[in-house]
Amino acid sequence: MAVRKIPIAHKATQRQQRMLGISSLLLLGISLYCADLDMKQIAAGMERLPAIGRQLAQLSFTNGGELLRELVTSIVVAFLSVILGVVAALFLAFLVAANTTPNRLFGRVLNAVFVIIRTIPTTIWVLLAVASMGFGPMAGVLGLMFPTVSYLIRTFASQIEEAGGETIEAIRSVGGTWWHVIAKGLLPTLLTAFMATTAFRFEISVAESVILGMVGAGGIGSLLQGYISYYQFADLSLGILMVFFTMFLLEMGTVQIRKRMGRQN
Amino acid sequence: MEPILTIQGLKKQYSAGTWGLNGIELTVQPGEFIAVIGPSGAGKSTLLRCMNRLIEPTEGSVTFLGEDVVHANKRQLRSIRARMGMIFQHYNLVYRSSVLENVLHGRLGYIGSLAGMLGRYPEADKEEAIALLQKVGLENEVYKRADELSGGQKQRVGVCRALAQKPSLILADEPIASLDPKSSKTVMDAIHTNCREQEIACLVNLHQVDYAKAYATRIVGIKAGRVVFDGPVEQLTSDITQYLYEGQEHEMFHKAAI
């Protein structure tokens, strides 16, 4: 005897899920067609993989000194861009934050400018800097500064808006000036939060600075780029290992800083 | 006697149709200790903040020692604020700074931007600040960081900051609403005694009617942004308090303890 099955699904949800499934499949099909993937190329690349893996497994220390020097350059580039960025952002954030801006409209216009700067990828900024100043660390510092400053401003400003209210009221109520509010009220209150943000940004900047060497910003990235172009995989693997350990140590360090700074709040 | 503060037709509109204050009339004479009572949302905090323009009033006038507060320019407003102390419900201290530094903030209204930023307070100010702290029983906390103190101690620092301004008027916005009964009494005593001794007029927002009766020379009742009672403590009958807190009777007994 045939038993009629009792439906259990919620009709509208079921319909939505079906629509989602169909449109995903459709998009996948279109993407595959547009990307023009060549199966033969994939197969050939697969065949080469073991050979590349074998070459990468060999470490060569002949260029260790040079790699180390350039790694330091990468870190220095990141460090300089963050330090200069913090100096600029510390001032500008107070002009942007809604509760400290001397003029609402001015604050909003300034904020819009930094939103535009943020939406342009770091790589573009570095390429622009390279185009105007030539290859080298200076272009890296300048190119990294734009996104760094705008990132710091956004984060600092929201920290000011979040934590500032009561302190601002207090200093204003005693007849303090705008500078008093900033220097005597907000900076002491927010210093550790700012430091934690800065440490986090430094970590991101080092990662970016390593990559940006590949587009001409100097540092270890330009060496790695060269090794790949000339199939010097043994040198490349040493470079990758060095970058890996640097990033690993850096993250451990910044996590500690952020934890300590956070706890004091 | 020349009044310290005169408020006429003061109105504050928050958003279209929402009036925080709806035509406040009030005069404060030198040395008066006025308790402003009323239910939550009646406009007590707004009223106090319109006195020193932490909130900009929409309409009406505020005159402080003969000066027009509402139309004062930046410099005049600073000088007016410097002579009006304010005490906050949540103390509003700079918690990462020392207790002494927090009291000295009361002097910022009298010194320039640069001197203030560098913390160059006159030595005489420092001595007076320490003396104030001793007077409220915080002589052992002078160099502690403000966040190490208890609630009652923090509020006493807030009181010292206001007193360090050498003000003619103190505005206290719910100074004891976040404190336990014992600390409440210490803080109210500190405000009351100092205002009496130095002949500072005081406007204090209070949630607790019994505290208002115990300390005030005059009581002002506010309801829906209007003054509905203004008179000496004896005239505040239970009928009037009943009317003030109508529909919100539970608030009257909220934390009622002295």
Side-chain angles (χ1 to χ4, degrees):
Chain A
M1 199 173 80
V3 180
R4 211 181 101 79
K5 283 181 184 166
I6 303 168
I8 45 171
H10 180 250
K11 280 272 158 55
T13 313
Q14 203 176 26
R15 209 164 38 240
Q16 274 174 357
Q17 282 168 346
R18 230 174 255 152
M19 282 301 289
L20 187 73
I22 291 169
S23 36
S24 304
L25 274 175
L26 209 67
L27 277 175
L28 179 69
I30 294 170
S31 311
L32 279 173
Y33 177 76
C34 288
D36 197 16
L37 296 178
D38 184 352
M39 279 304 155
K40 265 182 255 158
Q41 195 186 355
I42 295 173
M46 287 295 191
E47 275 170 28
R48 275 200 302 273
L49 266 183
I52 292 176
R54 265 197 305 282
Q55 282 170 300
L56 274 173
Q58 299 166 336
L59 271 182
S60 154
F61 288 92
T62 44
N63 289 324
E66 196 185 12
L67 274 167
L68 197 64
R69 205 171 53 240
E70 291 300 304
L71 180 63
V72 171
T73 308
S74 282
I75 295 170
V76 165
V77 164
F79 186 72
L80 278 177
S81 71
V82 169
I83 290 296
L84 294 173
V86 166
V87 172
L90 262 187
F91 180 70
L92 291 168
F94 288 107
L95 299 181
V96 168
N99 50 2
T100 51
T101 181
N103 180 306
R104 283 280 163 112
L105 185 69
F106 172 71
R108 252 182 246 156
V109 170
L110 203 62
N111 191 34
V113 171
F114 289 110
V115 168
I116 293 169
I117 291 178
R118 254 198 315 272
T119 51
I120 299 172
T122 314
T123 318
I124 305 284
W125 285 114
V126 172
L127 283 172
L128 283 173
V130 168
S132 64
M133 317 185 54
F135 294 103
M138 194 58 224
V141 173
L142 191 72
L144 262 173
M145 250 191 79
F146 287 94
T148 304
V149 168
S150 53
Y151 170 87
L152 288 175
I153 286 177
R154 182 182 61 172
T155 317
F156 286 176
S158 61
Q159 282 163 340
I160 295 166
E161 282 165 8
E162 203 178 310
E166 293 190 346
T167 315
I168 295 169
E169 263 200 331
I171 306 290
R172 279 201 190 135
S173 81
V174 299
T177 61
W178 187 80
W179 294 100
H180 290 155
V181 172
I182 306 299
K184 295 270 106 176
L186 293 174
L187 278 182
T189 308
L190 291 167
L191 205 59
T192 50
F194 286 176
M195 278 164 81
T197 304
T198 306
F200 180 59
R201 179 63 218 189
F202 178 60
E203 193 188 316
I204 299 174
S205 287
V206 171
E208 281 188 331
S209 146
V210 166
I211 297 164
L212 291 169
M214 297 189 176
V215 296
I220 196 165
S222 48
L223 280 185
L224 298 183
Q225 165 78 1
Y227 295 152
I228 294 172
S229 309
Y230 297 107
Y231 300 104
Q232 290 169 263
F233 291 117
D235 296 312
L236 180 66
S237 39
L238 179 65
I240 291 172
L241 266 180
M242 284 167 74
V243 170
F244 168 75
F245 278 115
T246 310
M247 291 311 299
F248 184 72
L249 289 175
L250 197 63
E251 187 168 325
M252 301 257 285
T254 52
V255 162
Q256 280 304 312
I257 291 175
R258 286 160 67 194
K259 241 197 223 161
R260 300 238 167 104
M261 293 296 153
R263 210 184 297 143
Q264 278 177 26
N265 274 321
Chain B
M1 233 185 331
E2 183 80 11
I4 297 247
L5 186 79
T6 314
I7 304 162
Q8 281 172 325
L10 193 71
K11 291 187 178 185
K12 171 66 190 177
Q13 185 174 31
Y14 275 116
S15 51
T18 321
W19 290 89
L21 298 177
N22 212 336
I24 297 274
E25 308 278 339
L26 189 67
T27 308
V28 181
Q29 300 295 342
E32 276 195 292
F33 198 93
I34 303 177
V36 181
I37 60 170
S40 303
K44 302 192 297 289
S45 281
T46 310
L47 175 65
L48 243 55
R49 281 172 169 71
C50 281
M51 302 300 94
N52 59 7
R53 277 175 55 196
L54 285 180
I55 292 177
E56 292 289 340
T58 313
E59 252 183 77
S61 75
V62 176
T63 314
F64 175 66
L65 298 171
E67 290 177 56
D68 180 352
V69 177
V70 179
H71 298 103
N73 64 28
K74 254 188 183 170
R75 244 187 60 223
Q76 291 163 331
L77 182 61
R78 266 194 77 201
S79 142
I80 289 168
R81 282 175 174 170
R83 288 170 285 153
M84 261 190 220
M86 191 158 197
I87 299 166
F88 301 86
Q89 179 183 347
H90 299 117
Y91 332 125
N92 295 26
L93 304 179
V94 179
Y95 295 108
R96 282 174 197 286
S97 299
S98 73
V99 166
L100 181 58
E101 169 97 58
N102 269 286
V103 177
L104 284 167
H105 286 160
R107 301 306 298 165
L108 285 174
Y110 296 97
I111 59 178
S113 285
L114 194 64
M117 285 169 80
L118 299 173
R120 296 244 168 90
Y121 303 100
E123 289 305 309
D125 287 2
K126 293 183 197 168
E127 280 166 28
E128 280 176 45
I130 294 170
L132 280 170
L133 285 167
Q134 277 168 348
K135 211 173 158 199
V136 298
L138 293 175
E139 58 275 3
N140 296 322
E141 276 74 26
V142 175
Y143 290 105
K144 280 193 182 159
R145 223 167 75 163
D147 57 5
E148 294 172 38
L149 304 187
S150 71
Q153 291 175 321
K154 282 175 185 159
Q155 192 60 298
R156 277 182 273 159
V157 176
V159 172
C160 287
R161 177 175 63 194
L163 291 169
Q165 293 176 241
K166 300 212 184 81
S168 307
L169 174 70
I170 282 186
L171 308 166
D173 185 24
E174 302 275 7
I176 54 170
S178 315
L179 299 177
D180 61 83
K182 193 165 165 281
S183 305
S184 294
K185 193 170 178 318
T186 323
V187 166
M188 278 310 288
D189 284 342
I191 299 174
H192 190 250
T193 317
N194 281 290
C195 284
R196 271 282 114 104
E197 284 173 10
Q198 293 158 56
E199 289 170 346
I200 303 167
C202 186
L203 261 179
V204 52
N205 283 349
L206 282 173
H207 221 70
Q208 306 91 327
V209 179
D210 12 11
Y211 270 99
K213 282 182 169 166
Y215 288 93
T217 56
R218 189 176 140 203
I219 290 187
V220 171
I222 289 190
K223 192 176 180 178
R226 281 200 181 85
V227 175
V228 294
F229 174 82
D230 187 348
V233 180
E234 309 81 61
Q235 282 177 23
L236 185 78
T237 61
S238 55
D239 281 355
I240 297 168
T241 39
Q242 200 78 46
Y243 168 69
L244 257 173
Y245 289 90
E246 214 166 38
Q248 285 168 299
E249 285 86 355
H250 60 279
E251 281 196 17
M252 218 173 19
F253 307 105
H254 186 61
K255 284 195 231 162
I258 192 162

